[in-house]
């Protein structure tokens, strides 16, 4: 672990940050652990777009400082610790270490690590994150093991972005008339206001995962009303999610906490052995990040 | 259709260009249709990376001019007409129209259009392209209808890049131990010299389709030797390819020509009704591009 300058005064504030594929949340605390303010900003997946992520981190912390009625200069006396999507990838993590951040000091790890640490108060246990992306992880005697979480292109099955992407793939095949065109395909075209394959591809070919995630509530609603394609997608996603959650439960030999914006909706559809291990979270990932710092458990210190 | 300057002398040469996701090929002809030289350069998918595509177009034509033992200045007296992957997307096509190209004049359409026109000598017929991407198309009384060809993220099933991507997705699940780890997963790790999920994702998360396509020969070889996952992927791909080819055959009411680097290997695995419609190509897509110009059938003129 590194700090900004070893001769600097101790920090006056702590900020815990939770950065995912769609939102970045920050909670500002005083040194005795009282919550002073909270802030939210945009996407902070450091593997997808480092510039955007750094801006979101900064914006969320500034918003928390403002919410606490503290002056902007507070940044320099605030120790920041965060968990960010993509931080498990060496290339992304190494890039973030080079950041000339404005904080007192800056520590980070993956969003999964902070979520897991907060969820079980540092004890052994598992977490299943279902948001824009998807991932499971186990904490066993301080050691983190990850299952899934391979990103939008190569994994993240069952997540909001994956459900959306699969719905678009289906819609394109329905437009080509090699799949039946049902309610899901109609809803996808309506949502993006794109009624030809060319218009859909032109709009979505380079789109962020979050843009695909917009379809998630529509897909869940249609699945709930037994639309066959939506139902099949949700089923395939939940089978995968149950499989990675089961691995994490076995690895940690503990209980499972759910996290992420899509978790609540999919929880009843997970396999029963996985549901039987569910427990509620002790703390959020923001506080989990601060605990990780305090327990000296950060494995990646930021640059000076 | 537009030309560089209406007062300019007529071109002394014609170059037909075929630009796909991995390679760009150019054939240089004199005004009576004699082949003078040919050149090859890198990727020319104008929807994926316009700068790279323009450079590949230029490099392939320069190589053809050099191959013909003509001086570099030949560019300015050469009429260029090409078919490019991605040209069916308005955003990509509009960007290419702005190109300040060095040719006498420049006309383009999709690579599918030129392949189809060359394959059936301008007559009604269908084409199934299986290369880095995949696509089928029908030409009926001069009108082109496309099936598939929705790109690496949202379609291109059965293509080299799709087979490779699916093999990587499988390998990541095998590393997570939620799928059995067989020969295919071992071969994927060996090929990319990446033996953990993190290493694989870090290497491939932002990789071009061509990098995934590198796996195609390995997958086909394993499928040939009955490796179950490779066999299942090839089967799923060929079912999709047969479906879009069937649509194109019905639409054109004509015969089917295969094109693309993976077509030869997958041909015996296509559905028998599709195979029954196969015929060989009359001309290549490079000559197809020149015929499209000569028949006044280009629907997209380039800028002056």
């Amino acid at each position: 672990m590194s700090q900004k300058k070893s001769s600097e005064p101790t920090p006056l504030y702590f900020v815990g940050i939770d950065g995912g594929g769609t939102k970045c949340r920050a909670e500002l605390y005083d040194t005795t652990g009282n919550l002073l303010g909270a802030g939210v900003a945009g996407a902070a997946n450091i593997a997808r777009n480092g510039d955007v992520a750094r801006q979101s981190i900064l914006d969320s912390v500034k918003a928390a400082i403002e919410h606490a009625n503290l002056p902007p200069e507070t940044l320099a006396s605030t120790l920041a610790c965060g968990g960010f999507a993509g931080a498990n990838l060496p290339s992304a993590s190494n890039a973030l270490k080079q950041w000339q951040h404005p904080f007192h000091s800056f520590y980070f790890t993956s969003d999964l690590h902070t979520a897991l640490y907060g969820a079980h108060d540092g004890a052994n246990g598992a977490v299943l994150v279902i948001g824009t992306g998807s991932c499971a992880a186990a904490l066993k005697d301080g050691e983190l093991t990850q299952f899934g979480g391979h990103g939008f292109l190569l994994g993240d099955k069952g997540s909001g972005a994956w459900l959306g992407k699969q719905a678009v793939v289906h819609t394109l095949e329905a437009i080509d008339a090699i799949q039946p065109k049902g309610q899901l395909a109609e809803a996808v075209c309506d949502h993006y206001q794109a009624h030809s394959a060319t218009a859909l591809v032109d709009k979505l070919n380079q789109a962020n995962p979050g843009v695909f995630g917009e379809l998630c509530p529509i897909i869940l609603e249609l699945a709930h009303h037994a639309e066959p394609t939506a139902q099949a997608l949700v089923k395939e996603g939940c089978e995968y999610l149950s499989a990675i959650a089961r691995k994490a439960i076995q690895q940690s030999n503990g209980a499972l906490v759910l996290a992420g914006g899509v978790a609540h909706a999919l929880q009843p559809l997970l396999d029963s052995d996985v549901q039987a291990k569910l427990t509620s979270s002790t703390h959020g990932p923001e506080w989990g990040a601060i605990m990780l710092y305090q327990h000296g458990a950060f494995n990646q210190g930021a640059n000076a």
Side-chain angles (χ1 to χ4, degrees), chain A residues 49-126:
Chain A
N49 190 324
D51 289 338
V52 168
R54 284 187 290 271
Q55 193 60 52
S56 297
I57 293 167
L58 211 47
D59 289 348
S60 68
V61 176
K62 283 180 176 171
I65 286 171
E66 200 182 324
H67 184 225
N69 286 317
L70 288 165
E73 310 86 78
T74 305
L75 269 186
S77 51
T78 298
L79 184 149
C81 26
F84 305 111
N88 54 315
L89 295 186
S91 59
S93 170
N94 289 334
L96 189 59
K97 281 183 192 167
Q98 307 308 315
W99 187 24
Q100 298 301 313
H101 62 78
F103 308 116
H104 171 279
S105 40
F106 180 56
Y107 301 88
F108 70 94
T109 180
S110 72
D111 56 340
L112 207 60
H113 198 186
T114 51
L116 195 45
Y117 214 80
H120 299 284
D121 210 7
N124 290 349

Side-chain angles (χ1 to χ4, degrees), chain A residues 14-20 23-30 33 35-41 57 60-61 64 79-84 107-121 259-260 281-294 298:
Chain A
F14 288 88
V15 67
I17 313 163
D18 177 42
K23 292 252 184 294
C24 187
R25 296 173 195 279
E27 290 183 358
L28 187 73
Y29 294 87
D30 65 19
L35 180 63
L36 304 177
V40 185
I57 293 167
S60 68
V61 176
L79 184 149
C81 26
F84 305 111
Y107 301 88
F108 70 94
T109 180
S110 72
D111 56 340
L112 207 60
H113 198 186
T114 51
L116 195 45
Y117 214 80
H120 299 284
D121 210 7
S281 187
T282 310
H283 301 291
E286 300 88 346
W287 185 248
I290 293 174
M291 284 203 302
L292 267 169
Y293 170 74
Q294 288 176 333
F298 269 105

Side-chain angles (χ1 to χ4, degrees), chain A residues 172 175 189 194-201:
Chain A
L172 291 167
I175 290 173
C189 291
H195 294 270
S196 70
T198 302
L200 266 178
V201 173

Side-chain angles (χ1 to χ4, degrees), chain A residues 88-281:
Chain A
N88 54 315
L89 295 186
S91 59
S93 170
N94 289 334
L96 189 59
K97 281 183 192 167
Q98 307 308 315
W99 187 24
Q100 298 301 313
H101 62 78
F103 308 116
H104 171 279
S105 40
F106 180 56
Y107 301 88
F108 70 94
T109 180
S110 72
D111 56 340
L112 207 60
H113 198 186
T114 51
L116 195 45
Y117 214 80
H120 299 284
D121 210 7
N124 290 349
V127 68
L128 173 63
V129 185
I130 325 173
T132 308
S134 72
C135 196
L139 196 68
K140 175 87 181 283
D141 305 335
E143 200 181 317
L144 181 98
T145 312
Q146 181 177 328
F147 302 92
H150 307 312
F152 180 58
L153 181 66
L154 299 171
D156 285 6
K157 262 191 195 170
S159 69
W162 180 87
L163 285 168
K165 181 175 68 172
Q166 296 306 106
V168 172
V169 168
H170 163 77
T171 302
L172 291 167
E173 295 186 7
I175 290 173
D176 280 340
I178 60 169
Q179 294 274 347
K181 190 166 185 183
Q183 281 180 283
L184 179 63
E186 298 283 358
V188 168
C189 291
D190 287 348
H191 176 79
Y192 294 117
Q193 287 292 299
H195 294 270
S196 70
T198 302
L200 266 178
V201 173
D202 215 12
K203 200 157 216 167
L204 297 171
N205 205 20
Q206 316 254 12
N208 286 328
V211 175
F212 290 91
E214 292 168 10
L215 290 176
C216 185
I218 299 169
I219 298 165
L220 294 174
E221 179 70 16
L222 285 170
H224 186 68
H225 289 96
E227 205 275 353
T229 310
Q231 228 171 10
L233 288 180
V234 170
K235 183 168 180 284
E236 185 186 349
C238 285
E239 280 169 5
Y240 174 83
L241 294 168
S242 295
I244 57 171
R246 192 175 291 119
K247 281 280 159 194
I249 292 165
Q250 287 165 353
Q251 173 73 24
S252 70
N253 200 21
L256 177 72
V257 162
L258 293 184
V262 188
H264 183 72
L266 294 187
Q267 187 233 296
L269 305 170
L270 298 173
D271 290 350
S272 56
D273 63 315
V274 170
Q275 291 205 51
K277 287 288 186 180
L278 283 176
T279 184
S280 55
S281 187

